[in-house]
Amino acid sequence: MYNSFDNRNEQGGSWQSSPSYSNYNSHQPSFEASGYRVEDAPKQQKKGRGRIVALALCCSLLGGAVGAGGVVLGGRMLQPVGTSNVLEGDRSLSVINVSQVDTNKLLTAAEVYAANVNSTVGITTSTVTTNYWGIPVSGAAAGSGFILSDDGYILTNYHVIEGATAVSVSMYDGTSYDASLVGYDASNDIAVLKIEAEGLKPVVLGDSSTINVGDDVVAIGNPLGELTFSLTKGTVSALDREITLSSGSSSNGTAGSITMSLMQTDCAINSGNSGGALFNMYGEVVGITNAKYSSKNSSSEASVDNIGFAIPINNVRNIVQSIIEKGYISKPYIGVTVSTVSQSEQTRYNMPQGAVIESVTEDGPAARAGLQTGDIVTHVNGQEIASHQELVSAVGECAPNETVTLTIYRQGQTQEISVTIGEQQQPAMGEGASQSQQQPSQQGQNDLFGSFPWGFGYGY
């Protein structure tokens, strides 16, 4: 288990991370054996016991401790004894209008920076916690973000604003705004903020599915919370890295972890970069920087440089749009658990590569379509898949009520089954936004019953 520290130096708030590679144990590198830890990108981390390298959340801690909390309401049926008045909130929701922008021109890093530095923001949070003696302790942390719309919607990492009592957003021209939290999905490490401003310059969102290993990318953010609006350049080192970030406690005080399928890059990602955009060389956002491997000084372990991670933008686009337009999180699901057919299973039992269905939810979309336990999904809409991660990503990019065609292998025969994607809803604020997480199984199954689709151990 890697120990990854939330870079805000939270008291007692260490994160543990352990990349879980389903059915890849025979050919994936063992990071645990090499003594590495994982950190989230931008918040300064404090020293702690453990191994030399931490996978750190990249949010720069400026001081104090950060916590989170939520309220769960429940009740029981009572006999009516009178009349009560209940207040129901009424607020306006935004509608996102998507405009097409010509991004055919290949840009230099300098041109990408010039086109997007005014769309990048610095984020500073204030927190108030209570220490062991019951005394309030104030603190601050810093991260990055980027502008989604000209009227002030901003995207960043959830771990940047987690537990914050106040959030401030700073522009490249020095203008500062107070920000409100519109909604978040902790299982995806994203948060949507809103500032009262007009005429802002939004980023151009790209398609992370078109990214290849070796493509050039640049990151713009605020490393250390001090070196504001810095650019770092590198390449895409790997795709679909399954990284498990575990914390000693979740927002309700219980142990929990999230596993995310992340893009690996050798761009320098440091504390303070969390929530910043990762751009391709056409000036499009293809990822959100959020984590890195980092090393501590030790003569017995090799140092680690330039191993950073970003959330692929396709993994969160629908969720962000749902938070802004609907006020809740809408997640596609089909109601199955799956795992990857290993290479040994392919050879020993003459099975095709793909994602094998471990269980089917009763009366879920998959069950209604006729999928069965033991089926191996080999294609989605004619596109070949080689693992459960690829199935999760393919279904996760679909919209509720959309129909997909799955090619399956069942008892030596191949057939196609059409499945109508279902919708899972959860609150975009409070405890419900992160409580649908599941722990990954020992067999590396992916639970697709109805929580977040783009993480190992989460459902769709």
Side-chain angles (χ1 to χ4, degrees):
M1 203 45 97
Y2 308 106
N3 291 327
S4 123
F5 295 94
D6 183 342
N7 295 347
R8 294 169 300 184
N9 286 340
E10 298 178 339
Q11 294 179 349
S14 67
W15 288 61
Q16 294 182 332
S17 143
S18 108
S20 302
Y21 297 95
S22 170
N23 292 324
Y24 289 111
N25 294 336
S26 61
H27 54 90
Q28 289 285 354
S30 172
F31 292 106
E32 184 170 6
S34 64
Y36 292 122
R37 294 184 299 184
V38 186
E39 316 177 325
D40 286 333
K43 286 184 192 173
Q44 282 187 338
Q45 61 183 125
K46 67 178 181 180
K47 297 182 179 179
R49 294 179 303 172
R51 298 175 185 162
I52 283 215
V53 181
L55 179 54
L57 297 170
C58 294
C59 152
S60 182
L61 181 65
L62 303 181
V66 178
V71 177
V72 179
L73 300 179
R76 55 190 177 89
M77 294 296 295
L78 299 174
Q79 295 298 321
V81 294
T83 301
S84 300
N85 294 320
V86 176
L87 301 180
E88 183 179 77
D90 182 13
R91 70 181 181 92
S92 299
L93 298 175
S94 297
V95 175
I96 298 177
N97 294 318
V98 178
S99 301
Q100 302 300 315
V101 178
D102 184 3
T103 55
N104 285 310
K105 180 184 176 183
L106 190 65
L107 305 175
T108 65
E111 290 172 328
V112 172
Y113 182 82
N116 291 283
V117 68
N118 286 300
S119 305
T120 303
V121 302
I123 295 176
T124 304
T125 66
S126 300
T127 62
V128 178
T129 58
T130 303
N131 65 17
Y132 179 80
W133 295 275
I135 300 173
V137 177
S138 61
S144 303
F146 54 92
I147 299 171
L148 284 174
S149 68
D150 59 2
D151 62 342
Y153 283 101
I154 290 168
L155 186 59
T156 187
N157 287 144
Y158 170 67
H159 78 261
V160 170
I161 56 87
E162 182 180 9
T165 55
V167 180
S168 176
V169 170
S170 298
M171 304 293 179
Y172 181 64
D173 64 4
T175 307
S176 182
Y177 298 89
D178 292 331
S180 59
L181 177 61
V182 177
Y184 65 87
D185 186 353
S187 66
N188 243 347
D189 196 19
I190 59 165
V192 179
L193 306 176
K194 180 70 168 66
I195 61 174
E196 295 304 318
E198 298 289 341
L200 301 178
K201 186 180 187 325
V203 298
V204 176
L205 299 181
D207 183 357
S208 56
S209 69
T210 64
I211 289 293
N212 299 300
V213 174
D215 285 352
D216 289 337
V217 287
V218 299
I220 304 177
N222 301 287
L224 307 182
E226 299 175 357
L227 305 176
T228 56
F229 304 100
S230 296
L231 177 144
T232 56
K233 185 172 186 251
T235 60
V236 175
S237 306
L239 301 172
D240 300 321
R241 290 289 198 202
E242 284 201 350
I243 304 296
T244 300
L245 301 175
S246 301
S247 65
S249 63
S250 62
S251 57
N252 68 345
T254 61
S257 66
I258 61 172
T259 304
M260 307 181 71
S261 181
L262 302 177
M263 182 189 310
Q264 181 183 333
T265 176
D266 65 356
C267 280
I269 305 296
N270 293 286
S271 295
N273 277 112
S274 269
L278 186 72
F279 296 93
N280 63 17
M281 300 313 294
Y282 295 92
E284 302 167 329
V285 176
V286 292
I288 309 167
T289 58
N290 77 321
K292 67 168 183 175
Y293 279 109
S294 71
S295 59
K296 293 180 178 291
N297 295 325
S298 173
S299 59
S300 62
E301 299 282 356
S303 63
V304 175
D305 297 311
N306 297 342
I307 301 181
F309 297 94
I311 305 166
I313 195 65
N314 286 17
N315 290 11
V316 297
R317 283 186 68 161
N318 289 340
I319 295 238
V320 171
Q321 183 169 351
S322 177
I323 290 173
I324 295 174
E325 290 189 336
K326 303 175 182 178
Y328 62 85
I329 297 170
S330 173
K331 297 180 179 181
Y333 86 110
I334 60 175
V336 296
T337 61
V338 294
S339 61
T340 300
V341 180
S342 67
Q343 290 184 344
S344 62
E345 289 170 333
Q346 295 177 41
T347 302
R348 185 174 181 179
Y349 302 109
N350 194 30
M351 298 167 65
Q353 68 176 5
V356 60
I357 295 178
E358 302 286 351
S359 65
V360 180
T361 305
E362 184 178 355
D363 199 34
R368 291 193 292 269
L371 286 173
Q372 301 175 9
T373 300
D375 289 347
I376 299 175
V377 181
T378 60
H379 296 76
V380 178
N381 289 336
Q383 184 67 39
E384 186 177 22
I385 64 170
S387 65
H388 74 271
Q389 301 102 310
E390 293 182 12
L391 175 61
V392 169
S393 295
V395 175
E397 292 179 15
C398 296
N401 299 318
E402 181 179 344
T403 298
V404 296
T405 300
L406 304 182
T407 303
I408 66 166
Y409 175 86
R410 179 188 294 170
Q411 297 179 351
Q413 302 294 322
T414 299
Q415 59 181 286
E416 292 185 346
I417 294 181
S418 295
V419 182
T420 300
I421 305 297
E423 181 186 39
Q424 288 282 330
Q425 298 180 10
Q426 69 184 51
M429 298 283 283
E431 192 69 16
S434 61
Q435 287 308 299
S436 55
Q437 303 173 19
Q438 303 284 339
Q439 288 287 347
S441 71
Q442 293 297 318
Q443 291 77 24
Q445 296 178 1
N446 200 33
D447 181 11
L448 311 178
F449 281 113
S451 67
F452 191 68
W454 301 289
F456 180 80
Y458 307 116
Y460 63 81

